[in-house]
């Protein structure tokens, strides 16, 4: 009698479906384990100069802080790119659209009234842009400093990130002051967390220490998440200003241990399921942290079948459709990544394992999203490879035979690789 066991798993950026169909043959298959790395479809836009912050509105438009061009760009829902605010010349003028001037705009967010809030890095200000494109100064004197007080008297030192809570309070990552500042609804600026001296310390408010923080995100409970770039960590700040370091769990994928760490993280975003996405700049990847602290990387492929690797991801945002937008300042490119599985149905890779009815062995029914080399290694209990099968699998589906007739009875580990990356491991017993 046949028994079927179904697994739904993830492979690189693809969903991996494994079907085990065990029959009354000599080879018994069990203990599947698949490397869990996410496979996502991606599109890209070019024509920027060091894009950093990005935010989506409710109408499907995107706004990008094009830092070295000193402007805010708009990408509408049809993919048309335009200049929304800023003249491309360094300055600090107020005004509508291209009359206004900025100096290296960095972080960007949106408030409840659809105004854009921009961390104007070079001007040491927080700017406000209305839906009609009118630019004004929300807070900051325009000179580097570290002074709390009213919006016109307070000073910042190279602000890089902004976030807004449900009450309309604006939180600013004040990078060179190594602190998180707060602008309340009346425009009063205060230091919310951080001692202003670079360091690494958890604690409440000014007792905590950061080192060159850059990106910021806020969740549904008004907790803040900070990309603490100099400390290579993600920090969490509660509404009561309690600062802690996000605990990351090590994960074991097959036989290799992977240390979960970041290298100069520069931005973060949080989804409704409390997953945190990190622009891990020097590791050239997007990291995903689940609600229980497990980290995995997101590897991306375009829908044209070409790989678009990230080099220096710099900004992140999520839209209402759970699409992740990533700016990459290193290659002046902007990426659109489809996170939900239903958006990646064209990128499904599958492996099905069957007992070979005609021979002493197994059949692997392999389907892949692009042409690659599939290698199957059979290892004994001492870890020695006793047999290896290599097949060049073209895009589509192919059967691969694994013969056991020439190996003695025993229990073996079978590892399946696509190119040089292990994607599947299971045990097979020959009686």
């Amino acid at each position: 009698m046949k028994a079927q066991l179904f697994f739904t798993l993830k492979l690189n950026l693809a969903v991996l479906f494994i079907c085990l169909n065990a029959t009354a043959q000599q080879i018994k298959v069990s203990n599947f384990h698949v490397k869990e790395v996410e496979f996502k479809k991606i599109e890209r836009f070019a024509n920027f100069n060091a894009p950093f912050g990005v935010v989506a509105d409710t109408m499907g438009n995107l706004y990008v802080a094009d830092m070295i061009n000193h402007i805010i760009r708009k990408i509408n829902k049809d993919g048309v790119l335009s200049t929304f605010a800023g003249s491309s010349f360094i300055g600090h003028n107020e005004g509508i659209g291209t009359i206004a001037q900025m100096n290296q705009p960095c972080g960007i967010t949106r408030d409840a009234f659809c105004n854009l809030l921009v961390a104007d890095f070079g001007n040491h200000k927080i700017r406000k842009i209305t839906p009609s494109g009118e630019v004004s100064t929300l807070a900051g004197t325009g000179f580097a400093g570290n002074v709390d007080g009213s919006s016109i008297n307070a000073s910042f030192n190279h602000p890089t990130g902004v976030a807004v809570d449900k009450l309309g309070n604006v939180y600013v990552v004040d990078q060179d002051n190594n602190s998180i500042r707060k602008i309340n609804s009346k425009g009063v600026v205060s230091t919310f967390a951080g001692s202003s001296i670079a360091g690494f310390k958890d604690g409440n408010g000014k007792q905590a220490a950061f080192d060159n923080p850059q990106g910021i995100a806020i969740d549904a409970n008004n907790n803040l998440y900070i990309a603490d770039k100099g400390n290579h960590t993600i920090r969490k700040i509660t509404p009561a200003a309690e600062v802690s370091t996000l605990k990351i769990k090590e994960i074991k994928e097959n036989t290799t241990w992977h240390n979960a760490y970041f290298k100069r993280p520069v931005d973060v975003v949080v989804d409704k399921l409390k997953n945190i996405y990190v622009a891990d700049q020097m590791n050239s990847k997007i990291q995903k942290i689940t609600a229980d602290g497990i980290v995995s990387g997101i590897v991306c492929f375009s829908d044209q079948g070409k790989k678009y690797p990230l080099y220096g991801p710099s900004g992140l945002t999520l839209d209402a459709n759970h699409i992740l937008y990533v700016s990459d300042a290193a290659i002046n490119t902007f990426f659109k990544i489809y996170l939900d599985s239903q958006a990646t149905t064209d990128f499904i890779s599958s492996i099905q394992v069957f007992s070979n009815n005609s021979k002493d062995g197994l059949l692997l029914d392999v389907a892949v999203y692009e042409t690659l080399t599939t290698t199957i290694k059979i290892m004994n209990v001492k870890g020695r490879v006793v047999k290896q099968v290599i097949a060049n699998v073209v895009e589509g589906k192919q059967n691969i035979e694994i013969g056991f007739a020439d190996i003695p009875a025993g229990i073996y580990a079978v590892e399946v690789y696509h190119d040089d990356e292990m994607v599947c491991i299971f045990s097979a017993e020959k009686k």
Side-chain angles (χ1 to χ4, degrees):
M1 181 178 179
K2 295 183 179 180
Q4 292 187 328
L5 179 61
F6 292 90
F7 298 79
T8 302
L9 306 139
K10 296 176 182 176
L11 163 64
N12 282 354
L13 301 175
V15 178
L16 173 65
F17 296 96
I18 295 182
C19 172
L20 170 60
N21 189 334
T23 64
Q25 302 291 320
Q26 294 186 15
I27 310 302
K28 179 183 178 183
V29 181
S30 60
N31 299 329
F32 276 84
H33 189 104
V34 177
K35 182 174 181 180
E36 185 172 350
V37 185
E38 297 185 60
F39 178 62
K40 305 297 177 189
K41 176 179 145 186
I42 189 170
E43 297 174 1
R44 69 172 178 174
F45 305 88
N47 195 28
F48 295 93
N49 194 353
F52 269 79
V54 55
V55 68
D57 69 14
T58 57
M59 304 297 291
N61 301 303
L62 295 163
Y63 299 88
V64 184
D66 198 356
M67 191 170 188
I68 304 304
N69 281 326
H70 313 292
I71 57 178
I72 304 302
R73 312 290 287 274
K74 178 180 177 180
I75 305 172
N76 70 15
K77 60 184 179 180
D78 298 318
V80 177
L81 183 67
S82 61
T83 298
F84 185 66
S87 66
S88 79
F89 294 101
I90 293 175
H92 52 79
N93 287 348
E94 318 280 44
I96 296 177
T98 56
I99 295 174
Q101 292 178 315
M102 301 182 195
N103 186 354
Q104 301 176 71
C106 189
I108 186 170
T109 193
R110 186 173 60 87
D111 68 16
F113 303 100
C114 298
N115 299 302
L116 298 177
L117 303 175
V118 179
D120 195 350
F121 179 85
N123 281 325
H124 312 289
K125 291 181 177 183
I126 305 305
R127 311 294 288 275
K128 175 182 174 181
I129 311 175
T130 67
S132 61
E134 185 170 355
V135 179
S136 61
T137 297
L138 181 69
T141 62
F143 298 97
N146 189 14
V147 177
D148 289 338
S150 66
S151 60
I152 59 173
N153 294 319
S155 58
F156 303 90
N157 194 353
H158 292 126
T160 54
V162 281
V164 184
D165 69 14
K166 295 177 180 178
L167 299 175
N169 299 302
V170 179
Y171 297 88
V172 179
V173 180
D174 197 359
Q175 186 178 74
D176 286 355
N177 282 324
N178 297 296
S179 61
I180 310 304
R181 312 289 291 281
K182 177 180 177 179
I183 309 171
N184 69 17
S185 58
K186 296 181 180 179
V188 177
V189 178
S190 60
T191 299
F192 186 63
S195 63
S196 79
I197 299 172
F200 181 49
K201 183 181 178 182
D202 290 338
N204 188 267
K206 294 181 181 180
Q207 295 175 355
F210 303 87
D211 185 359
N212 231 228
Q214 183 163 325
I216 185 171
I218 191 165
D219 68 14
N221 297 317
N222 287 334
N223 297 300
L224 299 175
Y225 297 88
I226 310 298
D228 194 356
K229 183 171 63 173
N231 284 319
H232 311 289
T233 57
I234 306 302
R235 314 292 289 279
K236 178 181 178 180
I237 312 176
T238 68
E242 192 66 36
V243 179
S244 61
T245 301
L246 210 63
K247 289 181 171 59
I248 305 299
K249 297 179 183 178
E250 285 186 326
I251 54 175
K252 187 175 183 181
E253 295 173 345
N254 304 316
T255 58
T256 304
W257 282 97
H258 295 264
N259 292 320
Y261 71 99
F262 307 101
K263 193 171 182 180
R264 293 180 71 82
V266 295
D267 203 10
V268 285
V269 68
V270 187
D271 69 16
K272 293 179 180 179
L273 299 177
K274 299 184 180 180
N275 297 305
I276 301 169
Y277 300 87
V278 180
D280 195 0
Q281 191 172 72
M282 296 304 290
N283 279 324
S284 301
K285 65 171 66 174
I286 304 301
Q287 304 270 27
K288 176 184 176 182
I289 310 171
T290 63
D292 56 357
I294 299 296
V295 169
S296 62
I298 297 177
V299 185
C300 304
F301 290 84
S302 77
D303 55 359
Q304 290 82 21
K306 298 178 181 178
K307 295 182 181 179
Y308 289 151
L310 295 166
Y311 286 90
S314 46
L316 300 173
T317 195
L318 283 164
D319 71 5
N321 297 315
H322 206 233
I323 295 174
L324 181 68
Y325 295 90
V326 182
S327 56
D328 192 320
I331 52 176
N332 300 316
T333 304
F334 183 75
F335 295 92
K336 179 180 181 181
I337 302 174
Y338 299 85
L339 292 175
D340 291 334
S341 59
Q342 59 263 35
T344 61
T345 52
D346 293 332
F347 297 87
I348 291 175
S349 176
S350 67
I351 297 176
Q352 300 182 60
V353 182
F354 303 96
S355 292
N356 193 336
N357 295 322
S358 59
K359 296 182 180 179
D360 185 4
L362 299 171
L363 271 178
L364 260 67
D365 189 1
V366 180
V368 295
Y369 53 86
E370 63 176 12
T371 300
L372 45 72
T373 300
T374 296
T375 303
I376 299 100
K377 295 180 181 180
I378 303 173
M379 295 178 293
N380 61 20
V381 292
K382 295 182 178 180
R384 185 173 69 88
V385 177
V386 298
K387 188 177 180 111
Q388 181 169 287
V389 177
I390 299 176
N392 291 317
V393 182
V394 298
E395 184 175 355
K397 186 177 290 188
Q398 184 171 323
N399 291 325
I400 302 174
E401 291 187 354
I402 308 175
F404 277 70
D406 53 348
I407 60 176
I411 297 175
Y412 297 90
V414 182
E415 295 181 348
V416 182
Y417 293 78
H418 282 340
D419 288 339
D420 296 324
E421 185 170 9
M422 182 194 291
V423 295
C424 178
I425 184 170
F426 58 89
S427 60
E429 181 180 2
K430 180 178 178 180
K431 296 182 178 180

